[in-house]
Amino acid sequence: LPLSASSGLTIFVVGKFNREQSDPGRHGIILGAMSGTANNQFVWSRWDDSVVPYPIGGFEEMNVNERYAVGSTTAYHLLAYRVSDHMVTAYYNGAESSVGPYPIGNTADWVFDMIANFAANSPYFSAIDLVEVAVYGTGMTDSVFKGTQDYLCCRYAFNCPATSCQVTEPLANDPALLMWLRSDRGVSVSGSQLTVWADGTGRVSTTPWRDYPSVLPGQLNGYPAVRFDGVDDAIQLLNPITLTPNSGFALFVVGRFNKELSDPSRPGLIFGGDVPPAAQ
């Protein structure tokens, strides 16, 4: 049954699923494709009552368990999250999500000390490729937020709306910039394995955890990517990042996930934390 998103389509479904959210084998797939083509599945979201294709993005343990439709999770995206006035807004490839913003229920500080794993004692690892990550610890003006998105859109050739490309990269000495990782800077390798990923601000020290991720050349607009295999690759932040909803913050991530929705082992995690309230 060929369907064309460009010409529009409408699907009506009346039904229910018979596995609980706590069941790791649950799949809310209604329509799928034998070809295995990414994003050719129509699913009932596992996380809420909405019907969305390939839900991606959101926060765990923060009373913001929403998911947003963004297309194929196995393609590179620019994901941005902005927290201001106790509301979180998601942006994909420079455009604000059509759903949300959502109120944040947990106003305690959120602490992150892992990348691609829930926590140091967790067996759940993410299969992701990361190209750039920037974390700002205070609220941003509209112009600064848009300027940062424009920089990332232009650098990685995303088709973002209303991008001038007359922008400069973030300033490493900006006191609001808590961590800045780029796959082409501060990276040391042994063979293809990453041994050091230095934070561009100098404020965070990182070390590989369990096993070393790989560095793959020429992955996005000519830039390399740091690949976490979803088995035992992770990075620990030796001095954790603390984000405070009361003062606002912003996260920018350029990357992709490498497991399909149908894979029950896929944790689509970017940040994790051991320290309560153990935000993800």
Side-chain angles (χ1 to χ4, degrees):
L1 177 64
L3 298 174
S4 173
S6 60
S7 61
L9 59 96
T10 303
I11 299 175
F12 298 91
V13 177
V14 177
K16 70 173 183 178
F17 292 102
N18 296 314
R19 288 185 176 178
E20 300 294 338
Q21 182 178 349
S22 58
D23 186 336
R26 71 197 179 279
H27 301 296
I29 297 175
I30 298 169
L31 300 176
M34 290 184 65
S35 63
T37 304
N39 210 34
N40 277 5
Q41 284 81 40
F42 187 75
V43 305
W44 194 313
S45 170
R46 304 182 318 123
W47 300 95
D48 53 39
D49 292 331
S50 62
V51 179
V52 294
Y54 270 90
I56 176 176
F59 295 108
E60 293 287 356
E61 309 299 338
M62 296 185 184
N63 296 341
V64 184
N65 287 314
E66 305 300 334
R67 297 296 185 271
Y68 309 101
V70 68
S72 173
T73 60
T74 57
Y76 281 103
H77 293 287
L78 162 59
L79 309 179
Y81 295 92
R82 186 182 185 187
V83 173
S84 179
D85 296 326
H86 298 98
M87 304 289 288
V88 58
T89 306
Y91 298 79
Y92 297 102
N93 299 341
E96 182 176 343
S97 173
S98 60
V99 292
Y102 287 96
I104 295 174
N106 185 349
T107 58
D109 288 353
W110 305 330
V111 181
F112 300 106
D113 58 8
M114 299 291 292
I115 297 177
N117 192 21
F118 284 94
N121 60 351
S122 169
Y124 300 106
F125 294 83
S126 295
I128 57 175
D129 295 343
L130 292 179
V131 179
E132 186 157 352
V133 179
V135 181
Y136 287 82
T138 61
M140 305 174 73
T141 65
D142 291 344
S143 61
V144 173
F145 184 85
K146 184 180 185 306
T148 304
Q149 285 204 114
D150 283 355
Y151 149 72
L152 294 168
C153 286
C154 295
R155 176 176 171 80
Y156 299 110
F158 289 111
N159 185 24
C160 298
T163 300
S164 67
C165 285
Q166 303 300 312
V167 294
T168 57
E169 65 184 36
L171 298 175
N173 62 356
D174 183 344
L177 185 57
L178 301 184
M179 186 179 74
W180 185 21
L181 300 175
R182 275 179 40 171
S183 60
D184 65 334
R185 287 185 184 175
V187 173
S188 298
V189 297
S190 176
S192 63
Q193 287 189 315
L194 180 144
T195 57
V196 175
W197 199 359
D199 167 35
T201 71
R203 297 185 177 96
V204 175
S205 297
T206 68
T207 185
W209 175 261
R210 295 282 181 91
D211 202 1
Y212 298 85
S214 301
V215 178
L216 306 180
Q219 294 297 296
L220 179 62
N221 202 30
Y223 291 98
V226 176
R227 170 161 292 180
F228 299 82
D229 64 4
V231 178
D232 54 8
D233 293 353
I235 286 179
Q236 183 181 16
L237 310 182
L238 297 179
N239 37 339
I241 295 173
T242 299
L243 301 178
T244 304
N246 289 333
S247 60
F249 58 84
L251 310 174
F252 300 88
V253 177
V254 176
R256 69 178 177 182
F257 296 106
N258 292 316
K259 287 188 177 180
E260 300 292 350
L261 181 67
S262 57
D263 187 332
S265 67
R266 71 190 187 287
L269 179 83
I270 298 169
F271 293 116
D274 279 312
V275 184
Q280 285 88 38

